[in-house]
Amino acid sequence: MGESKFVFLAFLLCSVLQRVYSHGDQPLSKVAVHKATVSLLDLAYIKASPSVLGLQGQTAEWVTVEYSSPIPSIDDWIGVFSPANFSASTCPKENHRVYPPLLCSAPIKFQYATYSNPQYKVTGKGLLKFQLINQRSDFSFALFSGGLSNPELVAVSDKIAFANPNAPVYPRLALGKLWNEMTVTWTSGYGTSDAEPFVQWGPQGGDHIHSPAGTLTFTRDSMCGAPARTVGWRDPGYIHTSYLKGLWPNRIYEYKIGHKLNNGTYIWSESYQFRAAPFPGQKSLQRVVIFGDMGKDEVDGSNEYNNFQRGSINTTQQLIQDIENIDLVFHIGDISYANGYLSQWDQFTAQVEPIASTVPYMIASGNHERDWPGTGSFYENMDSGGECGVLAETMFYVPASNRAKFWYSIDYGMFHFCVADTEHDWREGTEQYKFIEHCLASVDRQKQPWLIFLAHRVLGYSSCICYAEEGAFAEPMGRESLQKLWQKYKVDIAIYGHVHNYERTCPIYQNICTNEEKHHYKGTLNGTIHIVAGGGGASLSTFTSLKTKWSIFKDYDYGFVKLTAFDHSNLLFEYKKSRDGKVYDSFKISRDYRDILACTMDSCPSITMAS
């Protein structure tokens, strides 16, 4: 067997094992939309109230749903549809010979009729509460029998809607391409022919100005396959981004997003605040939270399947509670797990709004955002559900030179971050490899001593059973291509997602621990500490039973990591569990600039007679 075939089989095996050991399918994919039939019953009904939401400008509200069926079953379920008209009349026909199905779109969420109603099978009556968010359209509720696999429509509610479904919602901050630039991205139902989008902003207590925003959207044709192109499609509305420039370091700014309608009236969001980034190299307290694979969850308990993302809400809530002690967030891939069901991106941006509207929320590309056969992704799988990167690249801003190539660098005070895109080839000789080397080589370590490498898939070390059975304890060819760069440029910490647990290695180079200390590193590390922080929310990944000398700490639980730079010589690393926010693993690095300059194995040029 040739080497290329071996590598392909290794990739394939790892992908299959990760599906087995990590999580189940997207919950909405369990609804067999194409099999739906109509069985309306005269005595069945479903009612929703209130009929108008967001009268006080709220972007989320609870709705009470009452329902009844004369022939109840434990398989009966409630589907929430948006737009409210989900009948065949709204389905696009593939051609004149093919009739569309009864349903042409999946529900945006669902729940079983017996949920919190254990007597439903006897009484045929039930009551549920759903939380709805403003998603640019109206809603209806439908009662189905036949389970998720053979849905039969029994009853449909009247429509309900937000008072202004087009309102600007869910702002998300991101650092710009310059250190003193902040971007604000949000979603609305207003196109450029309807209104002018902008941000009103200024220093706290000072004068405010208006900065215009650019507007993007995309169509069904932008999707690469099903379900994103079929039952998972939902109009994304319009995504706006404004660039707030010339910020003073560490100053607090106020902002709110707005639209000036053609008739001269203004539509406003609520007011928000953010703190501008420190100057590159500036000494100040700087706190960065990093995690991967969080996804979204529903506070009303809907869409639950196979404990798909049970830790997501806990992680989100911990960050919200501690937001005053966070300056910057990195979500390193597997963002919403929409997997081609586009409504879930709105759900995700609503979930993280209290975080993303306050501190920069930077993302990296993961397999569930990008991968699709024949689209240039490094892995030829279908993990994105047909999104092929379009949603992540549009819904969130990143300071990449080309958003389709999701690699970029960030300067934040004493930190320098190099963010890789593991869904594109990173091996030596590629465009991305050249970027990574330039990113690592270009930092001034006297001013920015803390050099951090971020990526979605594990390019370093992991004890996940997937990687152990594959044999490399990482992505095939991962560290083989990059470890000489990490060592040459003395990367302090490399952090990954993809594997849904937490793990920390010793400082390591070429599979050998270069420092025996475990909690307080002083002086030269002589290698890079590798961290798996993929326990943001998706179902947990199992560790191998094999023992490795380089693994210092493992945790089969949900959590996130936090880096705190106190000054140019002292860094604190903490791993916190999502369930309680307490620290369960930590270490410190204390050193001087001369320790960074010191030569270690393969980090300095060889001395020759000429030198």
Side-chain angles (χ1 to χ4, degrees), residues 69-389:
S69 173
I71 48 173
S73 165
I74 59 172
D75 291 328
D76 293 356
W77 57 279
I78 311 299
V80 185
F81 290 85
S82 180
N85 183 7
F86 55 87
S87 69
S89 63
T90 65
C91 300
K93 294 183 179 180
E94 292 292 327
N95 59 64
H96 69 280
R97 294 175 178 269
V98 179
Y99 290 96
L102 168 71
L103 303 182
C104 58
S105 64
I108 63 171
K109 58 171 64 180
F110 67 87
Q111 185 55 273
Y112 285 100
T114 54
Y115 183 80
S116 74
N117 296 279
Q119 296 302 311
Y120 170 78
K121 186 179 178 182
V122 177
T123 66
K125 298 182 182 297
L127 183 148
L128 288 174
K129 288 185 177 293
F130 289 92
Q131 187 184 64
L132 298 186
I133 65 165
N134 196 341
Q135 290 182 262
R136 304 170 307 283
S137 190
D138 51 10
F139 304 85
S140 64
F141 297 80
L143 175 61
F144 288 89
S145 62
L148 302 179
S149 57
N150 291 286
E152 298 179 12
L153 182 63
V154 173
V156 182
S157 75
D158 291 334
K159 299 177 182 179
I160 67 173
F162 277 83
N164 181 5
N166 294 321
V169 291
Y170 320 130
R172 36 225 186 249
L173 300 172
L175 298 172
K177 293 183 179 180
L178 300 176
W179 71 269
N180 61 349
E181 181 179 73
M182 187 74 76
T183 68
V184 185
T185 298
W186 71 95
T187 308
S188 85
Y190 295 115
T192 54
S193 61
D194 306 314
E196 297 175 355
F198 63 92
V199 173
Q200 178 176 287
W201 65 285
Q204 187 178 38
D207 295 332
H208 289 191
I209 63 172
H210 286 190
S211 289
T215 299
L216 297 174
T217 190
F218 51 87
T219 66
R220 190 190 298 261
D221 293 338
S222 300
M223 301 294 97
C224 293
R229 199 178 174 105
T230 56
V231 297
W233 169 257
R234 188 178 188 277
D235 191 310
Y238 299 93
I239 296 87
H240 317 277
T241 299
S242 183
Y243 301 81
L244 316 186
K245 301 182 178 182
L247 306 179
W248 289 83
N250 281 50
R251 180 172 290 186
I252 295 177
Y253 288 85
E254 302 166 328
Y255 76 97
K256 60 181 179 178
I257 50 183
H259 292 261
K260 182 181 179 181
L261 304 184
N262 292 336
N263 62 9
T265 60
Y266 287 83
I267 304 296
W268 296 101
S269 73
E270 62 179 282
S271 296
Y272 303 90
Q273 289 185 348
F274 68 85
R275 183 183 297 275
F279 183 77
Q282 177 180 321
K283 177 184 175 182
S284 61
L285 184 64
Q286 296 155 18
R287 302 153 299 184
V288 183
V289 165
I290 304 168
F291 56 87
D293 305 72
M294 184 171 78
K296 54 159 284 292
D297 202 355
E298 300 288 349
V299 294
D300 56 22
S302 60
N303 290 19
E304 288 295 338
Y305 175 76
N306 196 29
N307 296 324
F308 191 68
Q309 287 156 7
R310 42 189 299 201
S312 176
I313 292 293
N314 285 344
T315 300
T316 302
Q317 290 301 321
Q318 287 298 333
L319 299 189
I320 293 172
Q321 292 172 18
D322 198 38
I323 197 68
E324 293 296 323
N325 299 307
I326 299 171
D327 300 307
L328 174 62
V329 169
F330 282 97
H331 186 160
I332 49 176
D334 285 5
I335 308 301
S336 70
Y337 284 91
N339 294 6
Y341 292 88
L342 274 62
S343 65
Q344 304 306 286
W345 280 96
D346 286 316
Q347 301 281 347
F348 176 80
T349 54
Q351 178 175 312
V352 301
E353 186 213 30
I355 307 165
S357 63
T358 306
V359 300
Y361 197 97
M362 312 304 299
I363 69 168
S365 180
N367 50 302
H368 286 281
E369 284 76 58
R370 180 62 184 86
D371 292 1
W372 192 257
T375 65
S377 58
F378 191 41
Y379 296 82
E380 291 279 301
N381 61 55
M382 304 173 76
D383 288 353
S384 76
E387 294 177 14
C388 53

Side-chain angles (χ1 to χ4, degrees), residues 461 479 483 486-487 505-515 525-530 549-551:
Y461 297 84
R479 61 179 178 271
Q483 64 180 340
W486 299 327
Q487 187 72 1
T505 75
C506 58
I508 190 170
Y509 178 53
Q510 293 182 337
N511 300 316
I512 299 174
C513 291
T514 59
N515 193 314
L525 289 176
N526 297 317
T528 299
I529 299 170
H530 293 263
K549 293 182 178 180
W550 40 260
S551 183

Side-chain angles (χ1 to χ4, degrees), residues 466-520:
C466 156
Y467 287 136
E469 294 191 7
E470 186 277 326
F473 290 96
E475 290 293 326
M477 301 179 296
R479 61 179 178 271
E480 285 78 2
S481 295
L482 295 175
Q483 64 180 340
K484 62 183 179 181
L485 293 184
W486 299 327
Q487 187 72 1
K488 178 180 179 179
Y489 297 108
K490 303 171 185 175
V491 172
D492 295 308
I493 305 172
I495 305 177
Y496 316 99
H498 197 56
V499 172
H500 304 162
N501 55 38
Y502 169 76
E503 186 170 15
R504 170 166 69 98
T505 75
C506 58
I508 190 170
Y509 178 53
Q510 293 182 337
N511 300 316
I512 299 174
C513 291
T514 59
N515 193 314
E516 297 302 318
E517 177 56 46
K518 294 184 179 180
H519 297 290
H520 193 178

Side-chain angles (χ1 to χ4, degrees), residues 392-422:
E393 294 160 15
T394 309
M395 297 292 288
F396 286 84
Y397 175 85
V398 294
S401 58
N402 180 346
R403 288 205 217 181
K405 299 173 181 178
F406 227 89
W407 52 80
Y408 60 95
S409 64
I410 288 290
D411 289 308
Y412 193 87
M414 296 175 286
F415 287 103
H416 185 71
F417 296 94
C418 297
V419 184
D421 178 0
T422 56

